[in-house]
Amino acid sequence: MKSKSNTKKLFIHLALLLGVGITVFPFLWMVLTSFKTVGEAMQIPPTFFPKKFLTDAYAQIVTALPFARVYLNTIISTVVTTVVQVMFCSMAAYAFARIDFPFKNVIFVLILSVLMVPGQIFLIPQYQIIQKLGLLDTIPALFLPNLFSAFGTFLLRQFFMSLPKELEEAALLDGCNRYQIFWKIMLPLTKPGIVSLVIFTAKFAWNDFMWPLIVNTSPKMMTLGPALSTLQGQYTTKYPMQMAGAVMAVIPIIVLFFIFQKQFIEGVAQSGIKG
């Protein structure tokens, strides 16, 4: 029995190592390619390690694009989207979880129905709204359509519903109103869910490609995704430069995940405690 158990554990660990390898390999390839020459990057058969680690691609990407401005645009869009979306979603989630009002369940189902509709359907109406507001090719155009999330509302609603009602009842007896209960009692208790939503939202906003590409066309108003796509030529592409830009683009998300790793895993694990 013990040998069977050890064999089972061995296969599980081998499967996990294989999964880690498959997941990490593209990232390692991206990092190593950023240190290659153009010839090495396009060499057939391909080579995994560069013959000599060069940083030319990192210097070239800064001069080929208004990289600092593009990076700043992405940071502004991500921060505003994340902060406002978490604020709106947490308030809506608390209302759906704790407050009784007419047609609450019907409205919640309508909000969830948005998750079943492809996001591309909303591109034209959103573009027309931004155009009529005169905000094309501006920073607000990047984040205005993303300030609310049906997924975020659902995620945080699950956390609020898992909290005991006795907390609210005790707070009401102490003279707290709904706003005080929400901000001072209920919201701090949903910290794992908030952190999870922050990471999900920040990742989506940071990596968003389609909407920034459509709404902003001038190089100085682009975000990282569309800006890096402009480096792809019709006949040839400088892959080391593209990979260098991708490495610099992915670093903030990796740092964010490692800082809040514990809260993120806890939040995802607890998100389905109570429906």
Side-chain angles (χ1 to χ4, degrees):
M1 291 293 292
K2 188 174 181 180
S3 60
K4 289 183 178 179
S5 177
N6 291 335
T7 304
K8 183 179 179 180
K9 289 181 179 179
L10 177 62
F11 278 111
I12 290 174
H13 282 83
L14 288 175
L16 291 174
L17 287 173
L18 179 61
V20 170
I22 293 173
T23 304
V24 173
F25 179 79
F27 179 75
L28 289 178
W29 185 270
M30 176 181 71
V31 174
L32 292 173
T33 302
S34 70
F35 293 104
K36 296 178 180 179
T37 62
V38 176
E40 283 182 304
M42 302 181 68
Q43 182 177 329
I44 298 176
T47 57
F48 189 66
F49 291 99
K51 295 179 181 178
K52 185 178 180 181
F53 283 82
L54 303 173
T55 58
D56 296 350
Y58 289 91
Q60 292 170 0
I61 189 70
V62 176
T63 56
L65 295 172
F67 203 78
R69 180 60 186 269
V70 168
Y71 219 94
L72 180 62
N73 294 344
T74 310
I75 291 173
I76 293 173
S77 176
T78 301
V79 170
V80 174
T81 300
T82 303
V83 172
V84 178
Q85 190 175 124
V86 168
M87 182 177 66
F88 283 166
C89 289
S90 61
M91 291 190 291
Y94 177 73
F96 283 118
R98 294 302 197 183
I99 301 175
D100 291 325
F101 54 89
F103 308 108
K104 179 176 77 171
N105 293 330
V106 175
I107 296 172
F108 185 67
V109 170
L110 289 175
I111 290 176
L112 289 185
S113 66
V114 176
L115 296 174
M116 295 180 280
V117 180
Q120 291 79 1
I121 291 178
F122 303 112
L123 288 177
I124 294 177
Q126 289 174 346
Y127 181 86
Q128 290 176 335
I129 292 172
I130 296 298
Q131 185 181 39
K132 289 180 179 179
L133 291 173
L135 295 175
L136 290 178
D137 220 21
T138 64
I139 298 298
L142 297 171
F143 56 76
L144 281 177
N146 300 320
L147 298 183
F148 182 77
S149 166
F151 168 76
T153 302
F154 171 75
L155 178 70
L156 295 182
R157 174 181 174 270
Q158 301 303 103
F159 279 89
F160 284 120
M161 291 187 69
S162 68
L163 299 176
K165 292 184 178 180
E166 289 77 11
L167 291 173
E168 288 178 291
E169 294 172 355
L172 288 170
L173 289 173
D174 289 338
C176 293
N177 56 40
R178 279 289 181 187
Y179 295 102
Q180 291 172 324
I181 293 172
F182 170 70
W183 288 108
K184 295 183 179 180
I185 298 174
M186 305 301 284
L187 196 62
L189 293 175
T190 60
K191 182 180 177 181
I194 296 293
V195 172
S196 299
L197 183 59
V198 165
I199 293 178
F200 280 129
T201 306
K203 178 180 175 295
F204 166 79
W206 189 268
N207 295 331
D208 193 13
F209 178 82
M210 182 68 72
W211 176 250
L213 182 65
I214 293 172
V215 78
N216 284 2
T217 54
S218 64
K220 290 185 177 181
M221 289 292 109
M222 287 183 176
T223 55
L224 283 166
L228 291 177
S229 69
T230 62
L231 297 175
Q232 185 170 353
Q234 184 176 0
Y235 301 105
T236 182
T237 300
K238 294 182 179 180
Y239 290 108
M241 194 189 302
Q242 273 196 329
M243 296 300 106
V247 171
M248 295 170 70
V250 79
I251 287 175
I253 296 298
I254 294 176
V255 172
L256 180 68
F257 175 78
F258 277 107
I259 291 175
F260 298 106
Q261 181 180 7
K262 181 179 178 181
Q263 292 88 342
F264 174 71
I265 295 172
E266 183 181 352
V268 173
Q270 293 182 3
S271 60
I273 287 178
K274 185 176 181 180

